[in-house]
């Protein structure tokens, strides 16, 4: 290929030292167990200073879950209580099964209010989710909806007389030493009542826990790392003070704790000033907060749509001009559009810089925030929430709901402005003017609940971004980082000349092309997996046969359904717009981010290399995107490259062997950490997934040069369209092919003449079938042709027979196969051996 070259300079994508998966899993487990003994247990015995935050980064599929289970087992043996956060509920359930095999009756999966009730999956754990949300929106607590003995219970409360009981409240896991839950939202909350540690050390009576057998994933047997002789401080103060002694996170999302990126915003209108003036008691408090909001509204209205709003420095300037007319005239003379034009202020008579410093401004923001929070109205009719509907709860609080929202948004704005001032950020990314009307999008980093923040934490992550996670887990210490090599049964091919985007895949034929290629892979390799954007999955799901497994980028972490496929196609990669990436980076760090010039539509590109497996000093040159700001680039890469790595890891490539092989196709030119065995171009892929590929999938080929093939093609397409009008593969044929036999023949001829790759593919297919070959090379893989048979056929009333190759089943004649393939219009066809 033209872009293949020896690579003498440039940094390799592939880590220099890669271990086999079993060795890596053993090292990881040993290191994690040692850290638990030498770092976490001593801290729990004497909890001085910050709680340890330890991280372990290994390749997807190398045994992170097994290491988590081993650490959990040792913690329970030491009478410590463990919380495990998994990416998905399904993975929670799978992990619990594995823990129970080692520690019987020790664990429970915590299910949130909106998750399905395992006793009846058709209903949610809480049967009044809308009512709970309404109560929370007006300042109430979920327990207000549950009710109490004194006020009365919710109809579904376990203590009520109703026949249907709340699954959420029936979760009583205080005596379980291991609680497993899904998602990062739980980390924002205090452990729920049903999760809290029971007053008695109940799990100490679990007795002797049997020894787990070593597994393929490299679980260690009992050796020097057996900590069962560790003597905990029974009934110690640290045991009673915390609900969990260890928090384990399986995979992380660096921006999971960020909020406000949903393109909505809060409108600060002049009505807000009236509400504040009428409802904030005390003239001093009124003046302070009204002044702040007035400045805020002015700043938002002066900004255009989608512009950043810097921290307001109330009173930064003071003015000696007493006559408003003179002041307005001075503004017009200086052509002032915003009072942040310091250079103009400094040279204007009557205007002087304030002597206030940043600390003064921080004091103002703190004061405004305190006023806002202390005046947030309490919800009304709380005593009746247990029997009120969502609409009734909202109606009862309609007069105070708007004020509550206003004051909370003011407090959040003060919070993020404070971050900007403390970090010296000139243009923090937390506040954006949505449309220039006073609507402000408020982006903020939600804090981890103090309980979890002060709990020793172990993070196991395949795509760990240390610099980003430090913003959430301060003091993070990466204790182990290693990557596993591909198993011996892995071959990998990658698209070399196209950074296939979601926008491209939204084109008319891409649903059909990806489904067709999956069908080709199924014939070439067997069971096939296709990972692609969600909209592609939804479009092809009804046509996917049972042996084509589908998955989308939004739900991959922890997914194990691809571990037994023989071929895996990863089509495209997740991405985010540069401006969104910059905002995420700015809000995560609270610092200024080097943004791309205004009007930039996409990232600048840089050179990259797709490394050749047979010679790491050679490969295929490509280019990919890169953001110039280092933190923004890490955010971008955490979405794109890390998402691609997670997708590729679903096939468990590090665990494959020659007896359990895997072929991977990467449908993007974005470099990965994995070597490849070959490349293909977009033109080659489009040829394989063109109408030629459809005919191959249908099991029929009209040999080029045969007269009369237009009539056969025309009848075939008419039959297929009549039998399966919604078959997406039909879209890969042009409209002229359906118009008449002559139009079909002309269309086919033009396709071959106008497209070099289609011409080459047609030539190779003609040669292979005419010479009786048993296979054809299709994108570096072997497409079987051994069950194709030759027959001559024509449409009744025409002169010439055409040479037709048709796929047959065992014991099936070519004539029967031909008629079955053509379908309802086979009656128009005459054939001869």
């Amino acid at each position: 290929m033209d872009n293949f070259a020896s690579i003498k300079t440039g940094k390799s994508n592939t880590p220099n030292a890669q271990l086999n998966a079993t060795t890596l899993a053993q090292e990881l487990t040993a290191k994690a167990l040692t850290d638990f003994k030498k770092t976490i247990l001593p801290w729990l015995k004497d909890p001085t200073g910050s709680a340890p935050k330890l991280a372990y980064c290994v390749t997807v599929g190398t045994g992170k879950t097994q290491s988590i289970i081993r650490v959990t087992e040792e913690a329970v043996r030491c009478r410590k209580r463990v919380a495990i956060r998994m990416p998905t509920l399904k993975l929670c359930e799978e992990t619990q099964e594995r823990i129970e095999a080692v520690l019987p009756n020790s664990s429970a999966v915590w299910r949130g209010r909106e998750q399905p009730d395992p006793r009846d999956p058709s209903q949610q754990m809480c049967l009044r989710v809308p009512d709970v949300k309404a109560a929370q929106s007006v300042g109430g607590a979920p327990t207000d909806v549950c009710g109490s003995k004194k006020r009365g219970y919710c109809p579904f409360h376990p203590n009520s007389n109703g026949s249907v009981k709340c699954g959420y409240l029936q979760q009583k896991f205080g005596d379980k030493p291991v609680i497993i839950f899904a998602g990062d939202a739980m980390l924002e909350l205090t452990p729920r009542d049903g999760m809290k540690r029971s007053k008695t050390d109940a799990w100490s009576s679990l007795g002797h826990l049997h020894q787990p057998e070593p597994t393929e994933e490299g679980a260690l047997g009992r050796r020097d790392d057996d900590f069962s002789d560790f003597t905990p401080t029974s009934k110690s103060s640290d045991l009673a003070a915390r609900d969990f002694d260890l928090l384990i996170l399986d995979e992380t999302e660096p921006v999971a704790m960020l909020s406000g990126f949903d393109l909505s915003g809060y409108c600060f209108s002049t009505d807000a000033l009236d509400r504040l003036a009428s409802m904030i008691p005390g003239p001093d408090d009124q003046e302070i907060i009204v002044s702040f909001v007035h400045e805020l509204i002015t700043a938002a209205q002066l900004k255009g749509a989608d512009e950043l709003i810097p921290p307001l420095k109330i009173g930064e300037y003071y003015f000696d001009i007493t006559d408003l007319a003179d002041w307005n005239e001075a503004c017009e003379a200086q052509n002032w559009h915003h009072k942040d034009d310091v250079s103009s202020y400094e040279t204007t008579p009557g205007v002087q810089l304030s002597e206030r410093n940043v600390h003064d401004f921080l004091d103002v923001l703190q004061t405004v925030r305190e006023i806002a929070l202390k005046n947030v109205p309490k919800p009304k009719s709380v005593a009746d929430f247990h029997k009120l509907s969502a609409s009734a709860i909202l109606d009862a609080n309609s007069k105070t709901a708007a004020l509550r929202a206003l004051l909370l948004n003011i407090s959040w704005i003060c919070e993020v402005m404070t971050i900007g001032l403390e970090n010296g950020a000139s243009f923090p990314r937390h506040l954006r003017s949505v449309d220039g009307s006073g609507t402000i999008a408020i982006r903020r980093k939600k804090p981890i609940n103090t309980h979890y923040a002060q709990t020793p934490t172990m993070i196991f992550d395949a795509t760990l971004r240390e610099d980003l996670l430090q913003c959430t887990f301060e003091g993070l210490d990466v204790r182990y980082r290693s990557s596993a090599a591909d198993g011996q049964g892995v071959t990998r091919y990658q698209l070399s000349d196209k950074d296939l985007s979601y926008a491209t895949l939204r084109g008319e034929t891409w649903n059909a092309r990806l489904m067709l290629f999956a069908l080709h892979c199924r014939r070439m390799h067997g069971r096939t997996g296709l990972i692609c954007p969600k909209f592609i999955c939804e479009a092809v799901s009804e046509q996917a046969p049972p042996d084509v497994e589908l998955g989308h980028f939004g739900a991959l972490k922890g997914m194990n359904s691809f571990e037994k496929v023989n071929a895996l196609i990863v089509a495209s990669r997740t991405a985010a717009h540069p401006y969104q990436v910059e905002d995420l980076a700015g809000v995560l760090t609270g610092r200024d981010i080097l943004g791309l010039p205004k009007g930039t539509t996409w990232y600048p590109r840089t050179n990259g290399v797709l490394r050749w497996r047979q010679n790491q000093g050679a490969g295929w040159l490509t280019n990919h995107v890169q953001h110039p700001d280092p933190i923004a680039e890490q955010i971008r890469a955490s979405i794109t490259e890390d998402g691609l790595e997670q997708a590729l890891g679903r096939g468990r490539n590090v665990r494959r062997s020659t007896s359990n092989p895997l072929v991977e196709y990467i449908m993007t030119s974005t470099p990965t950490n994995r070597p490849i065995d070959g490349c293909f171009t977009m033109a080659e892929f489009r040829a394989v997934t063109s109408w030629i590929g459809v005919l191959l999938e249908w099991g029929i080929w009209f040999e080029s040069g045969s007269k009369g093939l237009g009539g056969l093609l025309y009848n075939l397409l008419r039959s297929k369209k009549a039998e399966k009008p919604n078959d997406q593969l039909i879209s890969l044929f042009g409209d002229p092919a359906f118009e008449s036999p002559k139009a079909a023949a002309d269309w086919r001829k033009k396709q071959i003449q106008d497209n070099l790759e289609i011409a080459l593919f047609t030539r190779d297919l003609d040669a292979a079938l005419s010479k009786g070959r048993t296979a054809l090379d299709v994108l570096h893989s072997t497409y079987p042709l051994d069950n194709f048979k030759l027959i001559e056929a024509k449409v009744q009333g025409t002169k010439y027979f055409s040479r037709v190759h048709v796929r047959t089943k065992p014991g099936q004649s070519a004539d029967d196969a031909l008629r079955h393939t053509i379908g309802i219009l086979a009656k128009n066809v005459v054939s001869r051996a």
Side-chain angles (χ1 to χ4, degrees):
M1 295 177 61
D2 292 340
N3 63 338
F4 184 82
S6 296
I7 310 301
K8 298 181 180 179
T9 60
K11 185 178 179 181
S12 171
N13 316 345
T14 307
N16 292 326
Q18 291 188 322
L19 305 174
N20 69 64
T22 300
T23 301
L24 189 153
Q26 292 173 344
E27 285 191 0
L28 170 65
T29 301
K31 178 59 177 171
L33 287 170
T34 300
D35 288 344
F36 174 77
K37 176 181 180 181
K38 295 186 176 180
T39 301
I40 290 175
L41 285 179
W43 187 90
L44 287 170
K45 194 170 184 179
D46 181 20
T48 57
S50 300
K53 302 287 190 295
L54 312 180
Y56 308 84
C57 181
V58 294
T59 308
V60 177
T62 50
K64 289 188 285 77
T65 303
Q66 184 62 31
S67 295
I68 289 171
I69 291 170
R70 284 301 314 277
V71 170
T72 299
E73 179 190 358
E74 295 304 332
V76 174
R77 288 177 182 275
C78 296
R79 293 177 54 222
K80 299 302 177 185
R81 198 158 186 258
V82 184
I84 304 176
R85 199 280 285 137
M86 289 284 172
T88 65
L89 181 59
K90 182 179 179 181
L91 193 57
C92 287
E93 295 169 342
E94 293 174 358
T95 302
Q96 187 199 16
E97 289 182 8
R98 296 176 65 175
I99 289 176
E100 287 296 304
V102 178
L103 304 171
N105 302 313
S106 67
S107 63
V109 174
W110 180 264
R111 300 170 191 272
R113 291 183 180 85
E114 297 184 45
Q115 290 173 339
D117 190 332
R119 302 168 306 170
D120 183 358
S122 66
Q123 66 185 30
Q124 295 173 305
M125 289 292 288
C126 173
L127 296 166
R128 297 185 61 193
V129 170
D131 306 334
V132 171
K133 288 184 176 180
Q136 291 177 308
S137 72
V138 300
T143 51
D144 294 331
V145 178
C146 300
S148 65
K149 184 176 181 180
K150 181 179 180 180
R151 294 187 283 115
Y153 291 110
C154 159
F156 307 109
H157 194 284
N159 294 336
S160 70
N161 296 323
S163 58
V164 180
K165 302 297 184 181
C166 172
Y168 185 80
L169 290 180
Q170 290 189 85
Q171 298 180 111
K172 300 293 184 183
F173 303 144
D175 60 345
K176 298 289 187 182
V178 182
I179 304 296
I180 313 167
F181 56 86
D184 292 304
M186 291 292 294
L187 299 178
E188 304 169 30
L189 310 171
T190 301
R192 308 291 83 186
D193 288 343
M195 300 170 66
K196 291 183 177 297
R197 185 197 299 263
S198 64
K199 294 182 180 179
T200 59
D201 211 358
W203 54 89
S204 62
S205 61
L206 285 174
H208 178 70
L209 303 174
H210 70 272
Q211 172 65 30
E213 295 296 328
T215 70
E216 181 186 357
E217 292 188 354
L220 299 180
R222 289 285 178 209
R223 304 185 315 179
D224 295 337
D225 50 21
D226 186 342
F227 311 143
S228 56
D229 61 344
F230 177 82
T231 304
T233 53
S234 180
K235 308 297 183 183
S236 63
S237 59
D238 66 295
L239 185 68
R242 64 180 71 249
D243 290 305
F244 296 107
D245 305 299
L246 175 63
L247 171 65
I248 296 177
L249 305 182
D250 181 23
E251 302 291 355
T252 57
E253 185 67 45
V255 297
M257 306 303 286
L258 303 187
S259 66
F261 287 84
D262 57 358
L263 304 181
S264 63
Y266 184 84
C267 183
F268 288 87
S269 64
T270 53
D271 293 341
L273 297 174
D274 297 334
R275 287 199 300 272
L276 289 172
S278 63
M279 301 191 73
I280 299 296
D284 291 341
D285 285 358
Q286 283 185 21
E287 182 179 357
I288 291 171
I289 200 165
V290 168
S291 174
F292 176 82
V293 174
H294 181 270
E295 295 279 354
L296 186 66
I297 292 172
T298 301
Q301 291 176 341
L302 286 171
K303 292 292 184 181
D306 202 33
E307 289 191 62
L308 295 172
I309 299 175
L312 300 180
K313 301 179 181 181
I314 307 300
E316 181 173 5
Y317 305 106
Y318 68 86
F319 313 104
D320 291 336
I321 296 177
T322 56
D323 186 274
L324 183 59
D326 290 343
W327 169 244
N328 289 336
E329 184 178 344
C331 288
E332 292 175 4
Q334 295 293 331
N335 194 28
W336 285 349
H337 296 291
H338 196 283
K339 72 176 193 174
D340 283 346
D341 190 351
V342 179
S343 61
S344 297
Y345 283 145
E346 290 176 333
T347 57
T348 301
V351 181
Q352 300 178 13
L353 286 176
S354 169
E355 294 181 356
R356 293 187 179 189
N357 57 33
V358 170
H359 295 293
D360 297 322
F361 304 140
L362 291 173
D363 287 341
V364 171
L365 290 173
Q366 179 64 24
T367 300
V368 172
R369 187 169 186 269
E370 290 173 354
I371 294 172
L373 291 176
K374 77 178 182 181
N375 285 285
V376 172
K378 298 184 181 301
K380 299 182 181 300
S381 304
V382 173
D384 295 325
F385 278 10
H386 66 283
K387 59 185 178 182
L388 294 180
S389 65
S391 59
I393 292 172
L394 296 174
D395 288 343
N397 290 273
S398 59
K399 292 184 179 180
T400 57
L403 178 63
R404 171 183 171 78
L406 171 61
L407 292 173
L408 287 177
N409 278 279
I410 290 172
S411 73
W412 293 333
I413 286 177
C414 291
E415 173 189 308
V416 300
M417 285 187 172
T418 297
I419 293 172
L421 289 175
E422 288 178 337
N423 292 333
S426 302
F427 295 99
R429 303 279 174 160
H430 299 74
L431 303 176
R432 272 195 181 275
S433 171
V434 175
D435 52 16
S437 68
T439 299
I440 300 175
I442 306 170
R443 283 81 177 273
R444 51 194 289 265
K445 183 174 68 176
K446 295 177 289 186
I448 290 181
N449 185 272
T450 303
H451 177 94
Y452 293 113
Q454 295 179 352
T455 298
T457 301
M458 300 179 81
I459 298 174
F460 295 81
D461 197 331
T463 52
L464 187 118
R465 295 277 171 179
E466 181 180 357
D467 291 344
L468 301 182
L469 287 180
Q470 286 282 3
C471 298
T472 303
F473 299 95
E474 188 175 351
L476 185 70
D477 183 2
V478 180
R479 293 297 186 98
Y480 185 80
R481 185 189 291 272
S482 187
S483 60
D486 285 328
Q488 292 184 355
V490 175
T491 50
R492 180 178 295 111
Y493 307 108
Q494 185 164 3
L495 182 65
S496 63
D497 62 345
K498 179 68 175 179
D499 191 17
L500 193 63
S501 67
Y502 276 36
T504 299
L505 290 184
R506 291 188 186 278
E508 292 182 0
T509 64
W510 274 100
N511 296 346
R513 288 185 184 277
L514 291 177
M515 189 69 255
L516 177 58
F517 188 55
L519 296 175
H520 286 338
C521 288
R522 179 186 64 155
R523 292 192 181 277
M524 294 187 290
H525 307 293
R527 187 172 183 81
T528 295
L530 171 61
I531 296 176
C532 53
K534 187 176 181 180
F535 62 86
I536 294 283
C537 278
E538 292 173 344
V540 304
S541 59
E542 292 186 2
Q543 289 190 239
D547 52 356
V548 172
E549 184 81 28
L550 299 178
H552 63 85
F553 289 106
L556 288 180
K557 289 186 177 181
M559 179 182 284
N560 298 320
S561 58
F562 293 97
E563 61 186 355
K564 294 183 179 180
V565 299
N566 304 106
L568 179 63
I569 306 163
V570 178
S572 190
R573 75 289 178 274
T574 50
H577 193 278
Y579 296 160
Q580 182 185 13
V581 162
E582 291 163 6
D583 283 357
L584 288 168
V587 175
L588 183 67
T589 62
R591 302 184 181 279
D592 281 333
I593 298 297
L594 176 63
L596 297 177
K598 192 170 183 178
T600 302
T601 58
W602 204 239
Y603 304 89
R605 304 189 76 84
T606 186
N607 292 329
V609 178
L610 309 180
R611 299 280 170 174
W612 191 27
R613 188 187 303 276
Q614 296 183 31
N615 179 358
Q616 294 291 296
W620 290 263
L621 300 176
T622 184
N623 62 72
H624 60 103
V625 299
Q626 184 175 3
H627 197 288
D629 183 275
I631 295 297
E633 169 57 18
Q634 284 210 47
I635 293 285
R636 185 206 64 77
S638 74
I639 296 170
T640 300
E641 278 83 342
D642 293 358
L644 195 55
E645 172 66 20
Q646 286 286 346
L648 292 170
R650 294 308 106 200
R652 295 295 186 259
N653 42 39
V654 299
R655 292 285 177 184
R656 297 300 181 127
S657 63
T658 53
S659 61
N660 181 29
L662 175 69
V663 178
E664 291 180 355
Y665 292 93
I666 306 176
M667 291 297 299
T668 176
S669 61
T670 298
T672 73
N673 289 328
R674 295 289 171 181
I676 64 174
D677 298 276
C679 281
F680 54 93
T681 66
M682 177 59 75
E684 290 172 325
F685 179 81
R686 292 178 73 92
V688 166
T689 58
S690 68
W691 54 273
I692 306 175
V694 179
L695 293 179
L696 270 178
E697 177 57 28
W698 286 345
I700 191 169
W701 179 249
F702 308 109
E703 194 171 306
S704 301
S706 295
K707 295 183 178 180
L709 61 77
L712 293 172
L713 176 61
Y714 174 67
N715 276 268
L716 171 68
L717 294 181
R718 286 178 60 203
S719 286
K720 293 294 185 183
K721 198 165 188 178
E723 293 172 353
K724 299 179 179 179
N726 297 321
D727 189 343
Q728 294 173 343
L729 299 185
I730 295 175
S731 67
L732 297 175
F733 292 87
D735 291 338
F738 298 87
E739 293 175 357
S740 68
K742 184 179 185 308
D746 291 344
W747 172 83
R748 185 182 188 275
K749 182 178 180 181
K750 192 173 189 316
Q751 285 281 306
I752 297 172
Q753 289 177 340
D754 293 350
N755 188 305
L756 176 61
E757 290 299 336
I758 284 181
L760 293 174
F761 193 28
T762 300
R763 180 202 64 188
D764 293 344
L765 183 54
D766 279 337
L769 288 171
S770 65
K771 294 178 182 179
R773 294 174 184 165
T774 59
L776 174 71
D777 180 79
V778 173
L779 299 186
H780 305 287
S781 293
T782 303
Y783 189 94
L785 298 175
D786 53 336
N787 52 359
F788 274 81
K789 293 182 180 179
L790 175 64
I791 191 172
E792 292 187 331
K794 70 173 184 175
V795 175
Q796 288 183 351
T798 60
K799 183 177 181 181
Y800 299 103
F801 279 89
S802 297
R803 289 169 59 86
V804 182
H805 301 269
V806 60
R807 181 185 289 119
T808 60
K809 297 178 181 178
Q812 186 182 36
S813 69
D815 183 68
D816 287 342
L818 175 66
R819 295 186 180 283
H820 176 77
T821 302
I822 291 180
I824 59 175
L825 294 182
K827 61 185 179 182
N828 298 337
V829 175
V830 177
S831 63
R832 68 185 183 189

